[in-house]
Amino acid sequence: MIQQIDYFVIAPSLVLALVAGLVLLLDAFLPARPRTQTGLGLVTLAGVLLSLGFVVAQAVRGGPALSTFCVPPGTSPCSYVVDRFTLAFAGLVLVAAVVVVLLSMTELAGGGIPVGEWHFLLLCTLVGAVTLPASRDLVMLVVALELVSLPVFALTALKRYDGRASEAAVKLFVVSVVSTAIMLFGVSLLYGVTGSVYLSRLSAVLAGQAPPPGLPADALPAVVTVGVVLVVAGFAFKIAAVPFHSWAADVYQGAPVPVAALLSVISKAAGFAGLILVLVSGLSGQAGTWAPIMGILAALTMTAGNLLALRQRSAVRLLAWSSVAQSGYILAPLAAGTAEAAGASTAYLIIYAAMNLGAFAVVMLVSRVSARNELDDYRGLAFRRPAAGIALAFCLICLAGLPPGLAGLFAKVFVFREIVAAGSGWLALVMAVNTVIGLYYYALWTARLFAPATGAAAPAGRHVATSLAVGLALAAAVLFSVAPQLVLDMTLLSATG
């Protein structure tokens, strides 16, 4: 049997993989000069934009979902499917990647980090992040998820002779290995129960629409429950959900700022894409098992993240714990156990990504003149650098969910609506309390931006790439504030075909 491959379907991932190889070759044969470093960054940026162009072409094409790697060829089930869910996550990842590449160009300009290896590893991570939402079998899903995770270890440790970076890389490696082992155990149980790795087959067997392959009927519920819990636990590590969140702050602080931004948006988006796929597409018949787990995880995650963020004095650590809290808000709609709720989670994730990237871009600017990068270093930033200060203030207000940051407000409204509609009033109450807690530390940081500076301010310097990243993230946040319904319309979908 000859496997037929539709190269237009896999074009976004294929382009990134080819550009990754090209960057590695150029780095090996071109002389080590500043112009070469800039050139490699521009080649990486061009590859990301070309991949984004293919995603846009697939989106405007219309018609039924695209698929390839089908067995037998031309029929269902297929391992790779491009539908609205795939396009929403692939677009989010690639737009975020443009910002991360721009931040990387500023980080690499300081020297001390091998440029070719950095861009190669970054592109490999993006290959996994774009492939993962299109994966429709457990094998491809796990491989894509590890392709997202593995290069990040090296990216974190590429800052040579930096003890904190090495420590962060080791912590991230250990956590990721443990989470992968737990998830694979759960995947093996689900495969044993259903006899298939395809999510559609899993859904049919677990919903009672197809017979299980010879497993005693009385053993099926227990094995499925254990498998579901282990798979959810594995993904909880990836998205830094409680109680698997303790690594987040140390890793974010020890890693270079562009890697922290990548972890908070691209890696998190990939983790949520995989989680939503497995739950809504593969385990929809077991919603009674995993929906309550999602509600409890969401409540614990948003509460722990917000309470820990209250104590932080470092800007990066505050964003790290804030990111944990935001994971709780994204998890909350999944407690409803429906595809529409998954759409609300996706909408919140897209809006959160724009705001968080804008905050990290300004943090990157400040880190160039303040090594400690504490909250007090932001005093008077709105007067020293008005554009950066106002951009950070707007992003923080959006994250808090206050006007004029209407994007964050409507994101929370989307989530509240799904929670209340599902009858989870207790979870809505927990989220309301946590929103007030989050408002405190976001407002405190925002107030510092407009407070008089203490002592002499360091010279600002010019960082064109980072300034451009700030502008792109801010433009997205403003767009979502003006037209928040646009995001919801993009993401109200069946989480997958």
Side-chain angles (χ1 to χ4, degrees), residues 76-99:
S76 184
C78 300
S79 295
Y80 196 103
V81 176
V82 176
D83 55 13
R84 292 179 62 193
F85 178 86
T86 304
L87 294 171
F89 271 94
L92 164 62
V93 165
L94 291 172
V95 172
V98 172
V99 177

Side-chain angles (χ1 to χ4, degrees), residues 69-233:
F69 299 119
C70 304
V71 180
T75 63
S76 184
C78 300
S79 295
Y80 196 103
V81 176
V82 176
D83 55 13
R84 292 179 62 193
F85 178 86
T86 304
L87 294 171
F89 271 94
L92 164 62
V93 165
L94 291 172
V95 172
V98 172
V99 177
V100 172
V101 171
L102 291 172
L103 296 179
S104 298
M105 293 173 71
T106 300
E107 179 73 27
L108 297 173
I113 298 177
V115 177
E117 289 90 330
W118 176 285
H119 289 300
F120 171 76
L121 292 167
L122 177 57
L123 286 165
C124 289
T125 296
L126 296 178
V127 172
V130 171
T131 302
L132 194 145
S135 303
R136 294 300 184 274
D137 72 59
L138 295 174
V139 174
M140 180 173 283
L141 194 147
V142 171
V143 170
L145 188 61
E146 288 311 296
L147 189 54
V148 175
S149 303
L150 291 174
V152 179
F153 309 152
L155 283 171
T156 304
L158 275 182
K159 206 168 188 178
R160 296 170 180 171
Y161 313 113
D162 188 322
R164 288 193 307 177
S166 300
E167 179 187 353
V170 171
K171 285 183 178 180
L172 188 59
F173 173 76
V174 172
V175 167
S176 186
V177 168
V178 171
S179 68
T180 301
I182 292 173
M183 185 167 57
L184 284 174
F185 190 16
V187 165
S188 67
L189 291 177
L190 294 176
Y191 171 71
V193 168
T194 61
S196 175
V197 295
Y198 292 100
L199 297 180
S200 57
R201 171 68 179 173
L202 258 72
S203 179
V205 171
L206 298 179
Q209 299 170 358
L215 196 71
D218 57 347
L220 185 62
V223 176
V224 170
T225 300
V226 174
V228 170
V229 170
L230 290 176
V231 169
V232 169

Side-chain angles (χ1 to χ4, degrees), residues 3 79 87 118 149 173 205 216 271 283 303 346 369 373 393 457 486:
Q3 179 66 258
S79 295
L87 294 171
W118 176 285
S149 303
F173 173 76
V205 171
L283 301 175
T303 302
T346 306
V369 296
N373 208 347
L486 174 66

